[in-house]
Amino acid sequence: MSTGPAFKRLPRAVRQQQMLDSAVRIFSRRGYHGASMDEIAEVAGISKPMVYAYLGTKEELFVACLHREGTRMMEAIAGAADPDLPADERLWRGLRAFFGFVGAHRDGWAVLYRQARAEQPFARELTVMRARLVEVAAGMLDHALRAEGREVAHTELEVVAYALVGASESLADWLADHPEADPEKTATQMMNVAWLGAGQLLRGVTWHPPQG
């Protein structure tokens, strides 16, 4: 009679998500180097060989976690930012979806923003994700400007979009460390900073350094 652990049979897709859930949790708490496949398998309630069979090496597993969490985040933002909405409401809903994701998936954010950034092999994944966020933000700003009958050079839009994304990422990192903080309130605070500045831009008001 076998004395090894018995594992409940589950559909492959369900089992794979279970493994990714456990991996995200462990990677977020231990870091890439500190996490072990043994612990990930134990938390998932499966055998270590099964983790390798489904998701490959530790590096491949980490990349799979990045892809899943990044896709979840981008889908949340894209689903909330309806292009038919007024410009301010579109930006607000995008920010609310972004901070809502961070609030609901703090471990996922830690893997995306902290662990991936700290490990050179995965920095490219983070760069690609940030580029997609910047593209979405620039598109929202461009839409708002065109609605006001104004056009701005792509480079200028890109600079503002990078600033918006960078500020939002920093605030999201703060949110991840403060579970008592309300994601929607945090989004509102970011919206006040972003939209007041964007409002000036929409009216063509810009700041110039003093002469001399």
Side-chain angles (χ1 to χ4, degrees):
M1 182 180 294
S2 173
T3 58
F7 301 108
K8 181 181 178 182
R9 290 187 176 275
L10 292 172
R12 182 181 181 88
V14 174
R15 178 71 78 189
Q16 186 166 310
Q17 291 306 309
Q18 183 182 50
M19 294 179 196
L20 289 172
D21 288 342
S22 300
V24 166
R25 188 184 318 163
I26 300 304
F27 282 132
S28 72
R29 297 173 185 178
R30 306 271 191 254
Y32 176 73
H33 293 292
S36 72
M37 297 294 270
D38 290 292
E39 185 176 14
I40 290 169
E42 182 181 353
V43 170
I46 58 174
S47 67
K48 185 167 73 169
M50 189 178 290
V51 177
Y52 283 109
Y54 273 65
L55 293 163
T57 65
K58 182 179 175 181
E59 181 174 331
E60 290 170 326
L61 175 58
F62 191 83
V63 170
C65 291
L66 292 180
H67 286 169
R68 189 189 72 168
E69 298 307 303
T71 298
R72 280 179 168 180
M73 183 179 69
M74 294 305 302
E75 287 179 347
I77 295 170
D82 188 331
D84 294 328
L85 291 170
D88 60 337
E89 187 174 353
R90 187 183 181 201
L91 179 58
W92 150 242
R93 290 196 181 191
L95 287 170
R96 184 173 64 177
F98 172 67
F99 286 107
F101 167 84
V102 175
H105 304 278
R106 295 173 197 270
D107 286 345
W109 175 256
V111 170
L112 280 173
Y113 189 72
R114 296 176 181 174
Q115 305 302 336
R117 185 176 58 174
E119 301 296 335
Q120 188 57 40
F122 312 114
R124 183 181 176 279
E125 302 290 337
L126 183 61
T127 299
V128 170
M129 182 190 73
R130 180 175 287 120
R132 292 171 64 195
L133 285 171
V134 168
E135 183 180 356
V136 170
M140 290 182 183
L141 292 170
D142 186 49
H143 175 79
L145 287 164
R146 289 180 185 277
E148 294 289 326
R150 297 189 66 243
E151 290 188 28
V152 173
H154 174 73
T155 301
E156 187 174 344
L157 276 176
E158 190 175 47
V159 168
V160 175
Y162 265 103
L164 175 59
V165 169
S168 297
E169 286 178 341
S170 294
L171 190 54
D173 208 36
W174 174 87
L175 176 66
D177 281 337
H178 293 79
E180 76 284 357
D182 179 8
E184 185 160 334
K185 183 177 180 180
T186 305
T188 303
Q189 292 167 326
M190 187 66 234
M191 181 66 186
N192 276 305
V193 172
W195 189 249
L196 289 176
Q200 295 283 72
L201 184 64
L202 289 172
R203 290 191 293 273
V205 177
T206 56
W207 179 87
H208 298 280
Q211 299 298 317

